[in-house]
Amino acid sequence: MKIKSPIILGLALLLSVQTVYSAPKQPSYRHADDLYAAVNEKVLKEHDAEKTGGSWNWFFDLEDRSYQKQKAIIQTAAAAAATGRAGPSGYKLGTLYTLAMDQARRDLEGVAYLDELMKPVMEAGTVGELMDALALLQYHYGFDTLLDIGVRAPDDNPGAYVARIRDMNFFLDVRDFEEEGYEAENKAYLTDHLSRLLTLAGREDGKETAEKVYTFVEAVAKSRDEGGYKKISVDELQKQLPNIDLRAYLGKIFRTMPAELNIKETASLATLNSYLTAEELPLLKDYIYSVNLQKFAPYMILDMEKARIEMEETYIGDADPLDPEKTAVTQVATLLSWDVGKLYADKDYTTEKKNAVSRMVEEMVEEYEAMLQEEDWLSKETRDRAVSKLKAIRLRIGAPDDIDRYLSDYVPDPDKSYLENVMALRREASEKLYDGYGQPVDRTVWQILPQELTPCYYPTDNSINIPVSVLEAPYFDPAADEARNLGALGTIIGHEITHAFDDLGSRYDENGDLVNWWTEADRKAFEERAEKIVAYYDDYETPGIMRQDGRQTLGENIADLGSMRCLTRIVEKKGLSAKRFFESYANAWASTSDALSDAIISGMDEHAADKVRVNAVLSSCKLFYQTYDVRKGDAMYIKPEDRVDLW
């Protein structure tokens, strides 16, 4: 953490719409030279990042719109719950929101419930008793502990869960402990912040405790080595942590005892083990209390949130302003996410939208199958497997029909404190997570909420996910003509379908397993075509845009190209307006960003800049040349032999 030089980076989700484009300075552009600028000149001027002081794209607008809708849902639910007219989800949301907004009551309740939960930890007389208490807090509520045990389905074997040990909570980024020139400021930031939180929690030794806790986390953090996750048996791990009974600890978290765990690094375990002694017991308790006090402070005393903001303004130079209403809405929407999603879908996912989008998706899958059948560079064996995978794609559009299965079973109790209700909801989720270990992964489960702005493809369950929140202008409008909807939403859907056959997705089969379903010759042909795409984007010149890294952006570029090929085939077959289609596509990726964002994103994002995503794709699109009479000498002209596609 570089104090007083903050860089706050909100990378877009799987379909990034950030770019390195500056608003056009010329009064107009020829479509054949720069379709992106010709279509978006007005909107880019309106959102000039250098004038407005920040980045913009349509997804930012949709994110704000989604938040406002969630806010209205929750606040309407609170009013209905108060009069006894709320439905099940509405009552849960309304009750929890009312508790969240009652800050006077939260201040009065203080940290009492946290102290109650922490009592077994603070009263532990031995390291063994401490670890027993921590295991239960982690299992029941997902508390931060000394061994952060997690559960996940790995990409290389997505059908089975693995247990893993992640880094313990160091409060700061682990790299901050080795950041030359900032050590003293980082320490001051953390110890001052912890000291204030501990004092607000009623601890008289806040400053002294914060200093000791910092020394502990610094020692463990600096002893880490770098490396990726690796498997280690429980017996081998026990040898590195001889001061605790590892099996007893894991036995309180898992119903099925893991035989091995995935661990990011093991070098710090020796340091941690040296602290797992009776002499260091008070320090370990102080660390556990401090790290969880910080974790749950936003659900308790308002002055704790004020302290966080003041510390960030003092040491970092900037912080979001205090907004209790927004904080309450965000917390409730997170804790009862599927209940919000149900009401969100009920309101926004109309039958008209559902039917129209379903027809669009079905038509695109049918056209994609025709494309695959025509790929003469594939053997019949591989082509048949590709078609089977296409037909097996789980199309998660809008919201699940069986959405009730995802709803929380817990009904908030107005007679209990806000934090007590929060912990009950966390308990429901945490126990479900750990109890799932040892069971097969249910790959029919939706992972994207209706209100999330995250259209994506998951190779590990072979699904495309297009949530309700995306089904709005400028991406989709039931009243718009078909060409415009295909140019925006259609190309997003086609992009996600193509991800099933990009450089990563093509390595997973129709079930989502990491299986090689390619012949050796076909995989070689795939890679040769992919290399041409890498070179194409490396060499593609766009005024005002730095050269793109074709290898880093390969998967997204394959998806863009495949989507455009599928959609233009549909446009031609149905006799739709190609101009409206292309202009809708260009407009969908309109975005601006300031110089700082440009510098940060460059070299980091797996997507090409938005202007490149439009112009480079269309420079390899035959219908684009026909539509705008693009000829040699025009800026977007690429020689036919240099144009690329993979599918």
Side-chain angles (χ1 to χ4, degrees), residues 519-557:
T519 67
E520 185 176 346
D522 290 338
R523 174 53 71 176
K524 181 180 179 181
F526 178 101
E527 291 174 352
E528 289 173 351
R529 296 170 75 89
E531 284 301 314
K532 291 180 180 179
I533 294 174
V534 170
Y536 176 81
Y537 278 86
D538 278 344
D539 295 339
Y540 193 86
E541 296 184 13
T542 308
I545 305 289
M546 64 183 66
R547 289 290 183 93
Q548 302 294 290
D549 186 331
R551 191 163 305 283
Q552 178 175 294
T553 59
L554 176 60
E556 299 302 325
N557 296 336

Side-chain angles (χ1 to χ4, degrees), residues 8-121:
I8 302 174
L9 174 60
L11 290 177
L13 299 170
L14 190 59
L15 273 171
S16 167
V17 288
Q18 299 235 22
T19 186
V20 289
Y21 180 75
S22 299
K25 297 179 180 179
Q26 301 178 29
S28 62
Y29 300 82
R30 293 180 65 247
H31 289 71
D33 290 331
D34 190 339
L35 184 77
Y36 176 88
V39 170
N40 295 318
E41 182 176 11
K42 181 179 178 181
V43 71
L44 294 179
K45 284 182 177 179
E46 291 173 352
H47 294 89
D48 189 328
E50 301 301 332
K51 294 179 180 178
T52 60
S55 301
W56 169 85
N57 58 54
W58 292 118
F59 268 40
F60 288 6
D61 287 0
L62 290 186
E63 284 175 348
D64 181 65
R65 208 178 302 169
S66 176
Y67 167 75
Q68 294 299 333
K69 289 180 179 181
Q70 293 177 64
K71 175 181 173 181
I73 287 170
I74 291 169
Q75 292 182 339
T76 300
T83 58
R85 296 196 301 269
S89 287
Y91 179 81
K92 286 185 279 185
L93 292 167
T95 301
L96 192 63
Y97 180 72
T98 300
L99 288 165
M101 287 297 293
D102 191 350
Q103 191 62 59
R105 178 179 171 182
R106 288 168 57 183
D107 289 342
L108 185 63
E109 292 164 342
V111 297
Y113 189 64
L114 178 65
D115 286 347
E116 181 181 332
L117 292 176
M118 290 290 296
K119 191 174 181 180
V121 171

